[in-house]
Amino acid sequence: MGLPRFKRPVGTSEPSSNLYVANCGPAVGLTLDTIEAVFGAYGQVKGVHLADESGTRVIVSYHEEKSAESALTALNRRACPELGGRSLHIQYSVPSVCQVAVDDSIEVSMESSELDIPGLYLIHDFISVKEEEELLAAVDSRPWQRLAKRRVQHYGYEFHYNTRNVNTNQYLGELPSFLSPILDKMSMFQKLGYTETVVMDQLTVNEYPPGVGLSPHIDTHSAFEGLIFSLSLAGPCIMEFRKYSTSVWPTDPNTLSDEEAQNSDKSSKFLRRAIYLPPRSILLLSREARYAWHHYIPHHKIDVVNDTKIRRASRRVSFTLRKVRKGPCECEFPEYCDSQKC
């Protein structure tokens, strides 16, 4: 699952089964699947990986060296109609050892059942690759709002980051039609014990560049009801969960700064879990997972999933779906609830 590292070619490189391809990648509108399909015409492709964080250079790895030679001869410095007419710059590349210091002090689970957090569910491959591409194209055709480190879009109701709430009097309209593939599949969550129809009315789209995460927080109880969905697109990440005892909470128990999250490692008065979120997976926070656990995404360019280093993609896009609460929260976790504070 980890991404292999390769040397950037310097001068004339020796033939190998790996190609370094510039002017090609997600940042110029070419998915890795599309690139693999084009290069697959010259031999069996072992994999296509991002060469760096730019999103404009990739490594194409073949099973056989002669396949790489054929692709280089056919495609180097020539316009490729199947790749949008782009002129590719191709050289041989060879694997290299990359030493990166990453905090791997926590075991990362691949399945939600391993975390023992009530109400937390992860479904892999919730949507297809084609549906993922269509969703990304849909949001990229619409205007983004730029924050300090990432870009966002809001639908239904705008989420206000200063108050961590929405203004229910400012309705933006129905959720966009491009959400239909997601909403149509929501019925599968009834198998998890949710007998009521799942109805969402607020969507926040976040785009994270490499190295940018999400500050630790609990979604405000009084703002949203009990089901929160997060769909991951384009790139993977690790999401961490922490359940603090009220005696070690900061002044505002619903949110921690990144510095407080790092320093809190020194305290033993919390439970800590982590899970790997692959592209096209959807995460559901409900019950205790929604109301009592902080969740956040560490600010890493490289995640460590057990013994494997995984470099984050040039972008990760998340769709967070929620239902706005119209009255006070009456959940079973009053010690974490802003509606039930004394």
Side-chain angles (χ1 to χ4, degrees):
M1 186 176 295
L3 302 184
R5 298 292 295 150
F6 292 83
K7 292 180 180 178
R8 181 168 183 165
V10 178
T12 302
S13 56
E14 295 295 325
S16 78
S17 60
N18 307 302
L19 297 178
Y20 180 96
V21 185
N23 197 28
C24 184
V28 293
L30 302 175
T31 68
L32 300 186
D33 288 334
T34 298
I35 298 167
E36 180 174 352
V38 171
F39 279 80
Y42 303 94
Q44 187 177 3
V45 176
K46 184 186 300 182
V48 179
H49 316 286
L50 294 175
D52 51 38
E53 294 85 2
S54 70
T56 63
R57 292 177 283 271
V58 299
I59 299 293
V60 178
S61 297
Y62 285 99
H63 285 278
E64 297 183 1
E65 185 177 300
K66 64 179 181 181
S67 300
E69 180 182 0
S70 298
L72 188 149
T73 301
L75 299 176
N76 187 35
R77 298 185 181 278
R78 298 182 182 180
C80 181
E82 296 86 355
L83 295 176
R86 306 193 72 83
S87 179
L88 308 181
H89 301 273
I90 307 175
Q91 292 177 267
Y92 291 114
S93 187
V94 294
S96 66
V97 177
C98 180
Q99 300 294 332
V100 184
V102 183
D103 178 15
D104 58 352
S105 59
I106 183 172
E107 181 178 352
V108 179
S109 298
M110 307 299 290
E111 303 290 343
S112 55
S113 58
E114 300 171 358
L115 297 185
D116 194 27
I117 300 178
L120 181 71
Y121 302 96
L122 177 68
I123 296 180
H124 293 260
D125 296 313
F126 182 73
I127 60 172
S128 67
V129 172
K130 181 180 179 181
E131 288 170 332
E132 177 186 39
E133 293 176 350
E134 291 172 347
L135 289 170
L136 291 170
V139 295
D140 284 337
S141 68
R142 298 176 178 233
W144 290 92
Q145 175 187 346
R146 187 170 295 277
L147 302 182
K149 295 183 179 180
R150 65 184 192 271
R151 300 192 301 174
V152 299
Q153 296 179 18
H154 300 287
Y155 299 93
Y157 297 87
E158 182 176 359
F159 183 75
H160 297 282
Y161 294 93
N162 57 337
T163 62
R164 304 203 63 81
N165 211 325
V166 298
N167 185 343
T168 56
N169 294 321
Q170 295 181 346
Y171 181 53
L172 303 178
E174 295 184 355
L175 296 181
S177 59
F178 63 73
L179 276 182
S180 296
I182 303 174
L183 300 178
D184 291 344
K185 296 180 181 181
M186 287 297 189
S187 59
M188 73 170 54
F189 287 95
Q190 294 178 352
K191 300 177 183 178
L192 302 176
Y194 298 98
T195 56
E196 73 274 14
T197 302
V198 179
V199 178
M200 302 286 109
D201 60 8
Q202 197 274 332
L203 167 67
T204 294
V205 181
N206 282 281
E207 180 193 57
Y208 300 91
V212 175
L214 182 66
S215 297
H217 67 283
I218 298 174
D219 285 48
T220 308
H221 287 206
S222 61
F224 303 106
E225 293 192 2
L227 303 181
I228 297 176
F229 297 89
S230 179
L231 177 68
S232 295
L233 305 174
C237 75
I238 289 174
M239 180 171 283
E240 189 169 315
F241 299 87
R242 293 183 179 182
K243 185 179 181 182
Y244 294 84
S245 67
T246 54
S247 62
V248 298
W249 272 6
T251 304
D252 181 359
N254 284 336
T255 183
L256 288 169
S257 69
D258 297 322
E259 181 178 359
E260 287 171 320
Q262 297 299 326
N263 292 340
S264 65
D265 286 342
K266 302 175 182 178
S267 169
S268 61
K269 297 183 179 180
F270 64 88
L271 300 175
R272 187 181 179 200
R273 306 283 189 271
I275 193 167
Y276 177 69
L277 303 181
R280 298 180 294 282
S281 67
I282 192 167
L283 185 74
L284 168 61
L285 301 180
S286 65
R287 302 196 295 274
E288 183 178 318
R290 182 267 183 268
Y291 288 120
W293 288 73
H294 286 78
H295 60 277
Y296 81 103
I297 300 172
H299 298 262
H300 295 164
K301 288 189 176 180
I302 295 177
D303 289 314
V304 175
V305 180
N306 303 325
D307 294 328
T308 302
K309 293 183 176 68
I310 299 179
R311 183 174 294 274
R312 292 193 185 172
S314 59
R315 70 189 301 213
R316 174 180 176 269
V317 176
S318 70
F319 282 30
T320 302
L321 280 157
R322 300 171 282 207
K323 182 170 178 58
V324 172
R325 191 184 295 276
K326 297 303 196 296
C329 177
E330 299 178 351
C331 68
E332 299 177 358
F333 303 91
E335 66 271 33
Y336 301 92
C337 183
D338 61 307
S339 289
Q340 303 179 60
K341 286 182 183 177
C342 298

